Amino acid sequence: MSPAGDRSGAPAGARQPQDHVIESVTCLGCGCSCDDIRVQVRDGRIARAGNACALGEAWFGDGRVPARTRVVDRDVSIGDAIDAVAAVLAHAKAPLIYLAPDVSCETQREAVALADILHASLDTVTTSTALASIVAAQERGRAGATLGEVRNRADVLLFWGVDPHARYPRYLSRYAPEPQGVHVGGRGARTVIAVDIGERPGPADADVRVDVPADEEVDTLLALEAIVRNPATPIAGALWTRARDIAERLTPAKYAVIVADAEAGDTGAHSTRGSQLARASALIAVAQSLNDQTRCGLSTLRAGGNRAGADSVLTSQTGYPAAVSFIHGFPTYRPFDAPTPDAVLVIGAANLIPDAVTQAWGEAARLVVGPRASEHGAAHVAIDTGIAGIHHAGTALRMDDVPLRLRQVIDGPANPLDMLRRLMRVTKSGAAEGPPLPMRTAQESTR
Amino acid sequence: MSDWITLTPRLALDGPIALSVHPERYAELAEHDIAALPAIGRDREQLPLGEMFTVKGGRSTRVRLEGATPHLHSVGAGMLWGELVVDGDLGSYAGAGIRGGTMHVRGTVGDAAGLAMMGGALRIDGDAGDRLGANIPGAAKGMSGGEIIVRGSAGADAGARLRRGLIVVSGDLLRDGGRSMIAGSIVVLGRCGENAGRGNKRGSIVACGGITVPATYRYATTYQPPHVRVTLTYLRRQYGLAIDQALIAASYRRYCGDAGEPGKGEILERVI
Amino acid sequence: MTALRIAGGTVYDPANGIDGEVRDICIDNGRIVATAGPDAKVLDARGMVVMPGGVDIHSHVASSSVNLARRLLPEEHIPDPVPAPDLRDDVVPRSGTGGTVPSTFTTGYRYAGLGYTTVFDAAVAPVTARLSHAEFDDTPIVDGGFFVLLGNDEYLLRLIDAGERERAREYAAWVMTATGGYAIKIVNPGGVELWKRGARERTDLDTAIGSSRVTPRAILETLVDAGNTLKLPHAAHIHCNNLGAAGNVSTTLGSMRALEGRRAHFTHLQFHAYGATVEGGWRSGARELIEYVNAHPEVTGDVGQVMFGPAATLTADGPVEYLLAKSTGRKWLNVDIELETGCGIVPYTYKEKAAVSALQWAVGLELFLLSTDPWRIVLSTDHPNGGSFLAYPELIRLLMDRTYREEKLKTVNQKLLAGSALLDGLTREYTLSEVAIVTRAAPARILGLTGKGHLGVGADADVTVYASDPDFSKMFATPRYVVKAGVLVVEEGQLRRAPAGRRLHVRPEYDRQIEHGLRGYFDRYSTVSFDNYSIGPLPDAPVSVGQTVSGPPGGPARSTAGGR
């Protein structure tokens, strides 16, 4: 049986007329994953991404990506590069397969398979950016809603220290508060509460603003939960007064939605692991507790490139959403103590991996299969691929785990899914048991 | 039962090794059978214990691991009963998931020592890393029984989602101790770090050497809590901790919290 | 594919009237054949029991909600790691984790290891269909399909409100085709939508869902008629209102009466068979319910047995899980999904010493033991809601072994068992033939799968061979051989091959006019483009529609068994 990827879009390499428009294209520029993009193609390039926001336009670009395959700084055939990757992985003591953004769920599934048979570690960009919201939701569950429910029901929206304009530009116009919903009117019929937390303001045009000092964020959430659970809670001091003010705006809602950014880049300088967890946990607790008096869902914002897809695929196949080790021959969950790898296979857009992550890899051999891999200076082996949703069809998950179809809009270099399948064949056949190629890093070779 | 089984590294340990030591499995095993047990996880392989350790003795549930280094992790994890003494330092997951017996590390341990422990006792003479006695990541409940006694200091996130049992730190405890603890007790003889007891349900944090109580806790009373006296007396007698009479007889300010939860949790701050 | 001869086994093939006859079963090219050539590989099944492969009519194995439950339960995965099996075929063997909600590959391996070869996921939100297909792609060996949630779907409710039941039918057909689903699923009709609107009261058959024309009764009638008019192979699959509530048997009976004379499948009946005491507490309502079912041949059902131990309750019935979380204090996940349905998850433990657990356990057994027609009341635990599918062998033992059952009964909390027929000493013991009916032959027939659940010539070569054992839970837990589509997947009790399963889905014709109105609705309210909603072609051909005999399934002589 052919896998799901093959049923999802236009046949690869299909000959299209020179100039044409493709409708209902899904954008992975941010986690909103708007699927109403109208892509104009001219001369095999993207001429325009209609309906897209600035982030989306930048994500599509003109669709041109490099198409090199190199080992160290030598151009080689794809076959040779795959053999080189397989050899390094086979000889590594602690290999890591790392899923970067901009690959489809189909590619992610194959990556998990490879990590499994290699007894490697497997991680994703989620671990270093959005893990707190996931672990907190594992500990206590969560009260959530997909974006369609937010759009059609939310009459009170509370933006907790986030203004979606910058990083999730179309959230406001596509999901809430602007659209007319089935059970609620447009912007005028909805109440928008902006909670400004230190340097993280809510939307500028909110109906109500509440200012929360950055170091009182978790205190405020806990106090808010206390008041929601027990309206007779005594109120004393600024913290409790502020929490009561927020509670009084939320509890009359028919359907309240709390919007918070799950990406760590936005949680402020004070965010250690424990306080990130405490914050994520308290946000969930508030949303859950509001369901005693009204209905409430927490909408957690996630960045682009099908990050939620990786969480979902890893969970399906291993039981754990991120940070999995197969070193014992079965999945174990290691979100807080990733082993130090001696070889890393990056699958996806390496330029979107946080610096702290790549620094932690130290001297490990870098093998990159993904868009613009050849521009990644530290890569020992680089195989340029296209971008899921631009050059390859497939599936991606929106920030709320709703699956969306990815279309191919123009031809591009290799599909990472095919690269991984070839790598799997080489690995399975044992052909990778030979000695690894002698290699130096690109930097060393240019020194 | 009285003789010790000793495990000594045969070569320098130069990389991470998952070492599985289960005293309860050795009761009926001879030396060479113990050496043949698959016990070492290294470089994606499982190796028998004897491959890297010299085993002396057998048919006992008392085990001494000599020459331990922080490269060794998961030592004592999942132990059911018996006695395990470790000379030297250990890496992460020391004594994780212990169900019974006693494990005594005469050195320091890394992160996640006593993680999700269910019973027995884990004694650490040196310092402990982060997530001491905490929950398996994402699990609703953390440690559900037993005692962890650290003579040194401990890192962040100790006792997260603690369900039952006792964690004692003689030195200082870093931030986020007792996060979302459900019940159980954490006793800190030194300084207790920031954000202790966040989301506490019914648990008890005893801070003998100073604490910044979160703003969401409410002051209740100042008193001499009998259960603290009992606990401290027990710790002095059972583990020989340096607890003087003045500490045992001290008064404590009781704060109830955390907000959002039923408010049955407490932080007891020693009045100095 | 090599030919196989399963030689000398004692065959239980109730669909073909075979009850414990020693005979050979021959297999070639993935199907049962009359005779196999001399080159056929021979499996010596002498002294063993041969049955068709198991068919699970109601489980939760491949959906966005299942995956949310998986993610929610790391503490269940950690103590149940599953190394990759030692396979002998060319397939990449995969490791995974277990617990009540195992990872995908492990789910497929474990079902096959239990002798089950066909599994349906009972609750998929249409918008998430892509995820279900992806998960089934990763669930090897078993043939799989899913039921599509429609009972709280905004567009459907609008059509009902407008009195347009024919268009509602065409819409249902469109959804089946767009999602690659197999049957219409109704969960707490209207009640989930009310929960999303903030209502907390019970939903009864005539409760208005916004409009007096839209009621659970109207939703049930519309969708059951749609499934029957479209001649879908499986009737509408109904999870009634008020699941778990004391006194809900009246709702369940009301729903059955509302649909009297129409082919309909009522699922996990155990959760819907509670009477109420004067004080409003629980008591068994099983006898009342099963007497109605026994007398109404148009009704089919599965039991949804509760088994003691850990479970994960996961359902589209969001309000139920809210109440369960409140009463247990355990972790609670709720996701309202895209004007279509809901999702609620709470881990739960059924305890012998807990009065309600014991009652639920007893009610399920009463339904099994008081049912007069095993072709219409079949086995399920509503995995993982009432317990894992791994508990099926234990459940079979409870049904087959009266002494064991009575011993077990003594150990459970008796507080709420007053009035339970179980206390009257139900003496019935299921025979092997009856077990074969409730675990394969009947589910296949109720699902309209003509090639499944029997061993007649032309049937799919899905066969399970058990070594006889007086302890039936042992016997059914570890089949000696399992053949799936002619491939020997379990050999000498070991999983050896893991071929991909087939996708069971329907693609009914529908009036293309429906798309005009739908497109406008999508443009106004949906967050997913109409053009992206359909999952497109699937690799496997759809199961044909329109061949089912309308009306109730019945005894062994029915033509729907097919393939003879």
Side-chain angles (χ1 to χ4, degrees):
Chain A
M1 184 171 47
S2 58
D6 299 352
R7 72 169 80 103
S8 299
R15 288 289 142 233
Q16 300 275 11
Q18 282 290 298
D19 291 8
H20 61 279
V21 171
I22 304 171
E23 307 276 357
S24 304
V25 175
T26 303
C27 167
L28 298 181
C30 76
C32 287
S33 313
C34 306
D35 77 337
D36 62 344
I37 311 300
R38 210 168 171 267
V39 176
Q40 251 177 311
V41 177
R42 192 168 302 143
D43 299 331
R45 291 179 198 167
I46 296 171
R48 190 164 176 276
N51 288 340
C53 64
L55 274 185
E57 283 177 359
W59 185 76
F60 282 104
D62 67 0
R64 276 186 296 182
V65 288
R68 284 182 66 192
T69 304
R70 63 172 174 78
V71 172
V72 193
D73 47 6
R74 193 161 43 87
D75 285 299
V76 298
S77 70
I78 283 179
D80 286 352
I82 299 257
D83 288 345
V85 170
V88 172
L89 291 176
H91 287 84
K93 288 180 172 178
L96 166 68
I97 311 284
Y98 190 88
L99 278 166
D102 282 347
V103 291
S104 67
C105 292
E106 289 76 8
T107 299
Q108 291 161 346
R109 284 158 68 191
E110 195 67 18
V112 183
L114 186 66
D116 191 352
I117 67 158
L118 283 170
H119 289 198
S121 295
L122 171 68
D123 209 351
T124 74
V125 74
T126 294
T127 301
S128 60
T129 59
L131 194 70
S133 68
I134 288 176
V135 173
Q138 289 180 311
E139 288 183 346
R140 65 181 307 149
R142 65 189 167 95
T146 66
L147 294 170
E149 295 286 7
V150 174
R151 174 180 168 127
N152 286 295
R153 261 182 243 276
D155 59 335
V156 176
L157 286 129
L158 181 147
F159 289 87
W160 187 264
V162 62
D163 179 357
H165 272 115
R167 288 172 40 172
Y168 312 92
R170 292 182 74 206
Y171 189 98
L172 305 165
S173 61
R174 194 171 148 80
Y175 303 125
E178 288 166 27
Q180 185 82 23
V182 168
H183 298 285
V184 62
R187 176 67 183 86
R190 311 196 202 220
T191 303
V192 173
I193 307 165
V195 177
D196 305 326
I197 302 165
E199 302 294 298
R200 295 176 281 136
D205 72 334
D207 304 305
V208 183
R209 302 203 83 79
V210 181
D211 199 39
V212 173
D215 59 355
E216 289 186 19
E217 180 178 6
V218 177
D219 288 335
T220 305
L221 287 167
L222 290 167
L224 177 56
E225 185 200 352
I227 295 166
V228 169
R229 287 202 194 277
N230 177 14
T233 302
I235 305 298
L239 168 69
W240 288 91
T241 309
R242 188 194 313 130
R244 185 196 56 199
D245 290 348
I246 299 171
E248 283 176 351
R249 298 286 179 172
L250 284 171
T251 46
K254 284 184 178 157
Y255 199 105
V257 167
I258 299 171
V259 183
D261 198 340
E263 302 284 338
D266 212 17
T267 53
H270 64 285
S271 53
T272 66
R273 183 172 62 223
S275 60
Q276 276 184 38
L277 272 171
R279 171 186 182 271
S281 186
L283 275 164
I284 291 170
V286 169
Q288 287 179 324
S289 64
L290 276 161
N291 283 285
D292 293 342
Q293 297 189 33
T294 173
R295 288 304 321 281
C296 180
L298 177 65
S299 172
T300 46
L301 303 174
R302 294 292 307 278
N306 194 25
R307 292 162 197 241
D311 308 346
S312 171
V313 166
L314 264 66
T315 305
S316 275
Q317 296 199 358
T318 73
Y320 308 118
V324 174
S325 167
F326 290 99
I327 197 154
H328 302 298
F330 50 78
T332 51
Y333 189 30
R334 305 290 288 272
F336 300 134
D337 55 344
T340 309
D342 59 353
V344 182
L345 170 61
V346 172
I347 297 152
N351 58 319
L352 297 175
I353 305 172
D355 289 342
V357 173
T358 51
Q359 278 158 19
W361 294 340
E363 298 298 303
R366 312 276 172 93
L367 319 161
V368 184
V369 177
R372 302 186 179 87
S374 61
E375 294 173 1
H376 192 71
H380 296 64
V381 181
I383 302 176
D384 283 332
T385 72
I387 298 170
I390 295 177
H391 309 100
H392 315 298
T395 308
L397 262 59
R398 207 162 65 185
M399 61 169 80
D400 58 353
D401 296 332
V402 166
L404 292 166
R405 170 181 178 181
L406 298 179
R407 295 168 189 267
Q408 181 193 355
V409 293
I410 55 173
D411 288 336
N415 187 338
L417 177 59
D418 298 331
M419 299 301 99
L420 285 178
R421 286 183 177 152
R422 289 176 68 168
L423 189 52
M424 177 65 95
R425 275 198 296 275
V426 174
T427 302
K428 251 181 76 187
S429 70
E433 297 302 316
L437 304 179
M439 286 190 301
R440 292 169 300 161
T441 64
Q443 285 101 329
E444 281 168 347
S445 62
T446 52
R447 246 174 234 156
Chain B
M1 282 294 284
S2 58
D3 289 336
W4 289 86
I5 299 170
T6 58
L7 312 177
T8 317
R10 289 169 48 183
L11 33 111
L13 305 174
D14 60 349
I17 290 166
L19 175 64
S20 168
V21 182
H22 278 276
E24 75 277 4
R25 291 184 195 166
Y26 308 156
E28 305 296 331
L29 295 183
E31 192 173 283
H32 64 274
D33 294 326
I34 297 170
L37 288 175
I40 293 168
R42 190 188 67 161
D43 301 346
R44 301 190 272 167
E45 287 180 330
Q46 295 293 317
L47 304 170
L49 182 59
E51 195 96 343
M52 298 183 74
F53 289 83
T54 304
V55 180
K56 281 201 181 127
R59 300 190 201 286
S60 168
T61 57
R62 305 177 79 189
V63 179
R64 183 183 299 276
L65 170 63
E66 295 173 339
T69 81
H71 286 306
L72 296 176
H73 54 91
S74 302
V75 173
M79 163 175 169
L80 296 182
W81 67 81
E83 197 176 344
L84 173 60
V85 174
V86 178
D87 285 322
D89 302 331
L90 289 178
S92 55
Y93 294 93
I98 292 185
R99 287 165 182 266
T102 62
M103 174 169 173
H104 185 176
V105 183
R106 301 203 233 197
T108 66
V109 295
D111 293 345
L115 193 84
M117 185 167 163
M118 289 178 257
L122 172 62
R123 298 171 63 185
I124 296 154
D125 289 351
D127 296 337
D130 291 347
R131 297 194 294 130
L132 173 76
N135 59 334
I136 286 165
K141 293 174 191 167
M143 178 173 164
S144 58
E147 294 175 354
I148 299 178
I149 312 292
V150 179
R151 284 181 174 262
S153 293
D157 298 332
R161 299 197 82 86
L162 179 66
R163 176 70 185 79
R164 203 177 288 125
L166 175 66
I167 297 175
V168 180
V169 178
S170 294
D172 297 339
L173 182 66
L174 291 187
R175 56 180 305 141
D176 301 309
R179 183 182 62 79
S180 296
M181 62 195 286
I182 300 163
S185 300
I186 298 176
V187 177
V188 184
L189 300 183
R191 168 97 200 151
C192 191
E194 287 171 71
N195 282 316
R198 280 284 190 220
N200 180 7
K201 259 200 176 88
R202 297 189 304 279
S204 180
I205 294 178
V206 181
C208 301
I211 186 170
T212 307
V213 178
T216 44
Y217 278 69
R218 293 173 191 267
Y219 173 76
T221 184
T222 299
Y223 73 136
Q224 292 168 300
H227 65 286
V228 171
R229 202 176 326 167
V230 170
T231 304
L232 292 178
T233 309
Y234 164 77
L235 290 173
R236 181 170 67 180
R237 200 181 58 235
Q238 178 76 14
Y239 296 106
L241 296 187
I243 294 169
D244 59 20
Q245 201 54 39
L247 185 57
I248 290 174
S251 293
Y252 289 80
R253 280 185 283 271
R254 182 173 194 269
Y255 297 86
C256 303
D258 200 347
E261 301 298 339
K264 292 176 185 160
E266 64 179 10
I267 290 177
L268 295 166
E269 180 189 25
R270 181 182 161 212
V271 179
I272 302 173
Chain C
M1 205 175 296
T2 50
L4 266 180
R5 177 189 295 275
I6 302 170
T10 307
V11 177
Y12 292 84
D13 181 13
N16 293 311
I18 295 166
D19 182 8
E21 290 174 29
V22 174
R23 53 162 71 196
D24 292 358
I25 299 293
C26 298
I27 290 165
D28 198 8
N29 204 21
R31 304 214 173 259
I32 306 288
V33 293
T35 53
D39 299 339
K41 179 182 168 80
V42 176
L43 297 183
D44 182 358
R46 281 175 297 176
M48 299 186 198
V49 166
V50 180
M51 291 187 181
V55 177
D56 199 335
I57 195 173
H58 187 109
S59 185
H60 297 273
V61 290
S63 74
S64 67
S65 305
V66 166
N67 211 32
L68 292 177
R70 260 187 214 116
R71 187 186 298 186
L72 188 63
L73 297 168
E75 56 266 68
E76 286 206 0
H77 301 316
I78 280 157
D80 191 8
V82 186
D86 181 13
L87 298 182
R88 301 292 153 83
D89 54 6
D90 195 34
V91 172
V92 176
R94 298 295 307 277
S95 70
T97 51
T100 53
V101 191
S103 56
T104 44
F105 287 90
T106 298
T107 299
Y109 298 153
R110 285 187 167 176
Y111 257 111
L114 209 57
Y116 271 71
T117 48
T118 305
V119 180
F120 281 86
D121 188 288
V124 171
V127 75
T128 65
R130 272 173 211 284
L131 279 177
S132 282
H133 286 293
E135 293 210 332
F136 270 120
D137 285 347
D138 287 347
T139 306
I141 308 173
V142 294
D143 290 346
F146 57 81
F147 309 151
V148 185
L149 292 157
L150 277 172
N152 291 279
D153 181 279
E154 172 68 21
Y155 195 71
L156 183 97
L157 302 191
R158 284 173 174 233
L159 292 174
I160 293 173
D161 192 24
E164 304 208 52
R165 294 206 182 177
E166 285 77 24
R167 274 182 69 198
R169 179 189 67 225
E170 297 306 304
Y171 172 62
W174 176 81
V175 173
M176 286 302 130
T177 296
T179 58
Y182 188 78
I184 295 168
K185 177 71 183 299
I186 307 169
V187 168
N188 186 2
V192 177
E193 174 59 24
L194 282 184
W195 152 250
K196 291 202 240 175
R197 294 181 188 185
R200 296 301 152 94
E201 52 275 10
R202 276 173 64 120
T203 309
D204 288 309
L205 274 175
D206 295 306
T207 301
I209 316 297
S211 148
S212 60
R213 285 182 298 272
V214 185
T215 59
R217 184 188 302 278
I219 296 167
L220 287 172
E221 288 171 358
T222 304
L223 288 174
V224 167
D225 286 348
N228 289 337
T229 309
L230 294 167
K231 293 190 162 68
L232 298 184
H234 183 43
H237 194 101
I238 302 163
H239 153 153
C240 291
N241 302 101
N242 300 323
L243 181 145
N248 66 7
V249 69
S250 62
T251 310
T252 312
L253 286 167
S255 305
M256 289 179 175
R257 290 192 183 105
L259 298 169
E260 189 157 1
R262 297 156 153 118
R263 181 183 71 137
H265 184 85
F266 291 84
T267 192
H268 41 64
L269 283 169
Q270 177 277 129
F271 287 112
H272 302 274
Y274 310 135
T277 60
V278 185
E279 303 82 37
W282 282 274
R283 65 171 179 79
S284 172
R287 194 190 293 268
E288 212 180 333
L289 184 65
I290 201 68
E291 279 172 3
Y292 182 93
V293 173
N294 286 341
H296 289 79
E298 73 275 21
V299 174
T300 59
D302 60 272
V303 169
Q305 176 68 33
V306 151
M307 300 297 284
F308 298 116
T313 66
L314 78 98
T315 171
D317 203 341
V320 166
E321 298 291 0
Y322 169 77
L323 294 173
L324 194 61
K326 279 278 143 192
S327 69
T328 61
R330 296 188 68 170
K331 50 186 165 185
W332 170 54
L333 184 144
N334 181 82
V335 181
D336 296 334
I337 303 174
E338 296 296 283
L339 295 178
E340 291 184 345
T341 185
C343 166
I345 305 170
V346 176
Y348 192 78
T349 307
Y350 297 99
K351 294 177 179 158
E352 284 94 337
K353 296 299 172 204
V356 173
S357 296
L359 174 73
Q360 294 180 303
W361 178 81
V363 165
L365 292 178
E366 284 180 75
L367 292 172
F368 274 115
L369 297 170
L370 296 172
S371 158
T372 54
D373 187 356
W375 290 94
R376 293 193 292 114
I377 292 294
V378 303
L379 184 142
S380 73
T381 60
D382 187 11
H383 163 85
N385 282 282
S388 164
F389 62 84
L390 294 176
Y392 291 170
E394 165 75 7
L395 173 54
I396 290 170
R397 186 177 182 196
L398 287 167
L399 299 178
M400 293 189 73
D401 184 342
R402 177 188 166 195
T403 315
Y404 177 69
R405 184 169 69 230
E406 285 174 354
E407 286 304 310
K408 192 82 193 170
L409 177 61
K410 285 180 200 153
T411 68
V412 310
N413 187 313
Q414 308 286 311
K415 191 177 157 202
L416 297 175
L417 298 190
S420 163
L422 214 52
L423 292 187
D424 303 345
L426 289 175
T427 57
R428 179 170 173 194
E429 291 184 332
Y430 270 56
T431 63
L432 278 171
S433 184
E434 283 175 322
V435 167
I437 295 171
V438 298
T439 57
R440 329 86 160 114
R445 182 172 295 173
I446 295 168
L447 287 159
L449 291 169
T450 55
K452 304 276 185 202
H454 73 106
L455 299 174
V457 169
D460 295 348
D462 301 347
V463 188
T464 305
V465 181
Y466 302 99
S468 299
D469 192 309
D471 178 344
F472 296 113
S473 65
K474 267 195 204 147
M475 170 173 161
F476 282 95
T478 50
R480 184 69 63 89
Y481 301 105
V482 179
V483 178
K484 167 67 191 11
V487 176
L488 188 54
V489 295
V490 171
E491 209 169 349
E492 302 298 344
Q494 299 297 315
L495 190 70
R496 290 298 183 223
R497 287 165 198 85
R502 269 198 309 147
R503 193 66 31 78
L504 300 166
H505 64 110
V506 294
R507 291 260 148 112
E509 286 301 312
Y510 59 91
D511 178 0
R512 303 275 153 173
Q513 290 294 325
I514 188 86
E515 291 184 358
H516 295 298
L518 257 176
R519 189 176 278 278
Y521 170 81
F522 267 76
D523 288 348
R524 268 196 303 285
Y525 300 119
S526 175
T527 62
V528 177
S529 297
F530 183 78
D531 294 333
N532 290 338
Y533 200 79
S534 169
I535 56 126
L538 288 167
D540 300 306
V543 173
S544 60
V545 164
Q547 298 194 342
T548 41
V549 182
S550 60
R558 290 190 53 81
S559 61
T560 44
R564 273 181 288 160

